[in-house]
Amino acid sequence: MRSAELTKRNFKEVWRDPISLALTIGLPVLMLVVLQALKNADDFFSPSSLAPGVAVFGFVMLMFSAAMSLSRDRESSLFSRLLTTPLKPSEFATGYSLPYLPVAIIQAIVIFAIAAVFGLEISGSAVLVAFILLVCAVMFIALGMIIGSLFTQNQVPFVYMVILLLAIFGGAWVDVESIGGVFKTVGDWFPFAHALSAARDVMSTGAGFSDVSGDLSWLVGYTVIIVGFALIAFRRKMVE
Amino acid sequence: MTSAAEVSTAISASALTKHYDDFVAVDGIDLEVERGELFALLGPNGAGKTTTIKMLCCLLRPTAGTASVMGHDVSTDPLGVKSVIALSPQETAIAEHVSAWDNLSLMAGSHGIDKATAKARSGELLEMMGLVDRADERVKKYSGGMKRRLSIAMALVTEPQVLFLDEPTLGLDPQSRRAIWSYIEELKGETTILLTTHYLEEADALADRIEIIDEAKIVALGTPDELKGSISDGQVTVVEAAGMTADAIEALRQTYPEVKATATGVEIEGSVVNLYDIQDVLRPRGIVVESSYQKQVTLDDVFLELTGKQLRE
């Protein structure tokens, strides 16, 4: 597979940047610990409700990291050189996105392990929760690829802020259900609300696959579209 | 598409043009490079050399004109082009946080070369480039010269049929530059090489043929000797005389229309110059000839002749 060496190189680049890695995994953990320390009787701050939101926060950070890395690489002469090889857009996309998947999995495991210390309980299928989070991770990494392909390093932080706001509207760390109104309406247009709703329903109420299939359709549908756009973005950037 | 075995012309371009809005970066250039030839595009910074290479490597879409590499059209068959070429870009193009081995594997893998072949070729190149002792280190610790040698090795590891070297020795010390020249010399005949440079000496020493490019247009084409021979008999007579005046030069021009003022006196094209005639013009004006000698025409002289500008290293 021609993209294997590119994947390997990018994997090493990701794992040899310890500060970025520590922030990507450490900040969500810190957030979880702080929110647990501040929690009151509110159900929203229970570990079962909070863990998926914090995992999404971690994925948003990973998206930022992936976007910055790709944007920086794109402006390098190494990237120009790689563009003169027979690598196809899909192989480029694989080579740049795959190295972030293990980071996302470790993030989620660490967050859920710490949430377990605070009393996390999963009423439903843990496999279903893992599947939802995996699709979510793929979606955010693909978003990172789109952002990194289309925006410069100076522009990436602003786009990151927009995605972060949309994730907040999706109910990542605020109880949008109780706020309602325009926040909820806007949040429901995007996949973040549906991913969180599905994960929380499985964890808190023991909902099964068929119960969350509506939310899952939103999430998977958006993920397919975003991955498709990521491929188009790579293709467009291959010849100026 | 023509098969690679059938083509004798490795690179062909016709009226190749690149515009950026109103700015013309490359203005309808023609190019024919034979297989195994080392062809140099010589010109000052901003002349359009890199833009030409980028179009030939399918990194930039031409605004007009056509081009093909080993029979593969750059516009309609970019994957075909990319499967037979390698580019060593102007900047050192390496991955800094991995080893030299990893960098070479990256390029070989991207061309679909199997691991065993990649490893064998990488080992040879690391040896040839004098990098074998530090091949396992992260390359960010390398000196500028080592990075550049690795960057060139990355272009060679795929054993391309056509190699594009964009200013391969830019900013290197003379020793490293000569080392890279010797690597390039070794490839001559086997690999078709398109070299861009603004170093006259480099083009003169390495190239089979040179195309001089200035302000986006081709201004001359030929072997180094043909280009130099295009100025009189390939010789220039240098006359060193302090206090040269415009009046004196004008008077010399009556006999030698091609006379040019220099910092130390004048230069006259050709080796057939009568020094007595020159002294007869200068002495009445109080100008004493200190020395005179003949030198070979350089590509700089050719460039000056063709463009009215000097192309200094």
Side-chain angles (χ1 to χ4, degrees), chain B residues 233-299:
Chain B
D233 54 2
Q235 298 278 319
V236 170
T237 302
V238 179
V239 178
E240 292 185 338
M244 189 64 69
T245 62
D247 165 59
I249 291 168
E250 202 48 51
L252 286 171
R253 190 157 287 137
Q254 304 300 317
T255 317
Y256 302 107
E258 299 297 324
V259 67
K260 289 187 190 85
T262 66
T264 56
V266 290
E267 285 185 3
I268 298 166
E269 279 183 18
S271 55
V272 187
V273 173
N274 187 332
L275 201 58
Y276 294 113
D277 286 350
I278 293 172
Q279 283 176 326
D280 284 348
V281 172
L282 299 182
R283 198 176 295 125
R285 291 171 172 83
I287 301 166
V288 179
V289 173
E290 290 156 3
S291 67
S292 73
Y293 57 92
Q294 286 177 347
K295 65 166 192 173
Q296 289 277 337
V297 168
T298 65
L299 287 175

Side-chain angles (χ1 to χ4, degrees), chain B residues 8-303:
Chain B
S8 64
T9 303
I11 305 170
S12 169
S14 174
L16 197 62
T17 303
K18 184 68 184 177
H19 290 189
Y20 294 100
D21 299 322
D22 292 337
F23 175 71
V24 182
V26 173
D27 192 4
I29 70 161
D30 297 324
L31 202 62
E32 290 285 329
V33 182
E34 297 301 313
R35 287 184 80 164
E37 187 176 20
L38 199 159
F39 191 94
L41 275 179
L42 175 70
N45 290 329
K49 307 186 298 291
T50 299
T51 307
T52 302
I53 277 205
K54 284 186 170 177
M55 286 191 280
L56 294 172
C57 291
C58 309
L59 291 173
L60 284 176
R61 203 170 276 124
T63 310
T66 57
S68 65
V69 179
M70 299 304 284
H72 304 282
D73 189 285
V74 296
S75 299
T76 59
D77 185 18
L79 276 181
V81 174
K82 289 174 182 185
S83 64
V84 295
I85 66 162
L87 165 68
S88 178
Q90 197 173 114
E91 306 84 11
T92 302
I94 55 175
E96 296 264 349
H97 296 103
V98 295
S99 69
W101 283 109
D102 289 335
N103 271 282
L104 293 167
S105 300
L106 171 63
M107 296 313 297
S110 300
H111 277 263
I113 295 167
D114 67 87
K115 283 195 172 198
T117 309
K119 194 175 176 189
R121 284 186 196 167
S122 299
E124 284 169 20
L125 284 167
L126 289 168
E127 186 78 49
M128 186 172 104
M129 296 288 183
L131 297 170
V132 75
D133 292 340
R134 298 181 60 186
D136 293 318
E137 278 180 39
R138 292 188 201 180
V139 299
K140 70 175 178 180
K141 295 177 187 165
Y142 283 13
S143 67
M146 291 169 75
K147 286 179 180 176
R148 185 58 63 87
R149 277 180 276 154
L150 173 61
S151 188
I152 291 174
M154 287 166 72
L156 303 179
V157 73
T158 59
E159 295 189 347
Q161 294 178 43
V162 179
L163 175 62
F164 293 93
L165 294 172
D166 193 6
E167 302 275 5
T169 61
L170 186 68
L172 287 185
D173 58 85
Q175 194 183 351
S176 298
R177 191 185 300 175
R178 293 215 174 262
I180 286 172
W181 285 8
S182 72
Y183 306 139
I184 296 171
E185 287 275 9
E186 284 182 34
L187 296 171
K188 275 178 80 169
E190 305 237 333
T191 308
T192 307
I193 302 173
L194 180 62
L195 168 88
T196 75
T197 183
H198 67 277
Y199 293 127
L200 302 154
E201 198 190 346
E202 188 160 282
D204 204 355
L206 296 173
D208 296 318
R209 284 192 303 153
I210 298 170
E211 206 161 55
I212 296 179
I213 183 166
D214 183 48
E215 294 181 355
K217 287 183 174 164
I218 299 294
V219 292
L221 167 68
T223 66
D225 286 342
E226 283 170 354
L227 290 171
K228 286 183 279 190
S230 67
I231 296 184
S232 63
D233 54 2
Q235 298 278 319
V236 170
T237 302
V238 179
V239 178
E240 292 185 338
M244 189 64 69
T245 62
D247 165 59
I249 291 168
E250 202 48 51
L252 286 171
R253 190 157 287 137
Q254 304 300 317
T255 317
Y256 302 107
E258 299 297 324
V259 67
K260 289 187 190 85
T262 66
T264 56
V266 290
E267 285 185 3
I268 298 166
E269 279 183 18
S271 55
V272 187
V273 173
N274 187 332
L275 201 58
Y276 294 113
D277 286 350
I278 293 172
Q279 283 176 326
D280 284 348
V281 172
L282 299 182
R283 198 176 295 125
R285 291 171 172 83
I287 301 166
V288 179
V289 173
E290 290 156 3
S291 67
S292 73
Y293 57 92
Q294 286 177 347
K295 65 166 192 173
Q296 289 277 337
V297 168
T298 65
L299 287 175
D300 199 18
D301 298 319
V302 177
F303 194 81

Side-chain angles (χ1 to χ4, degrees), chain A residues 6 9-10 69-85 87 89 92-93 95-96 145 148-149 233-240, chain B residues 59 82 87 89 91-95 106-107 154:
Chain A
L6 180 60
R9 175 259 168 174
N10 288 334
S69 172
L70 175 57
S71 183
R72 188 176 51 238
D73 240 25
R74 208 165 44 78
E75 290 161 24
S76 74
S77 48
L78 176 68
F79 195 80
S80 292
R81 157 172 261 164
L82 288 170
L83 288 177
T84 66
T85 68
L87 285 174
F92 264 97
Y96 272 93
M145 294 296 108
S149 298
F234 264 97
R235 192 180 300 275
R236 278 193 54 184
K237 285 292 164 184
M238 287 185 78
V239 183
E240 298 289 338
Chain B
L59 291 173
K82 289 174 182 185
L87 165 68
E91 306 84 11
T92 302
I94 55 175
L106 171 63
M107 296 313 297
M154 287 166 72

Side-chain angles (χ1 to χ4, degrees), chain A residues 76-147:
Chain A
S76 74
S77 48
L78 176 68
F79 195 80
S80 292
R81 157 172 261 164
L82 288 170
L83 288 177
T84 66
T85 68
L87 285 174
K88 293 175 182 164
S90 57
E91 291 169 321
F92 264 97
T94 309
Y96 272 93
S97 52
L98 219 53
Y100 289 97
L101 209 53
V103 185
I105 292 168
I106 291 170
Q107 260 185 338
I109 290 172
V110 171
I111 289 164
F112 275 72
I114 290 172
V117 174
F118 289 110
L120 171 81
E121 283 175 11
I122 300 177
S123 308
S125 161
V127 174
L128 188 52
V129 175
F131 173 73
I132 293 165
L133 290 176
L134 190 66
V135 177
C136 217
V138 170
M139 179 183 71
F140 276 106
I141 293 167
L143 260 179
M145 294 296 108
I146 295 175
I147 297 165

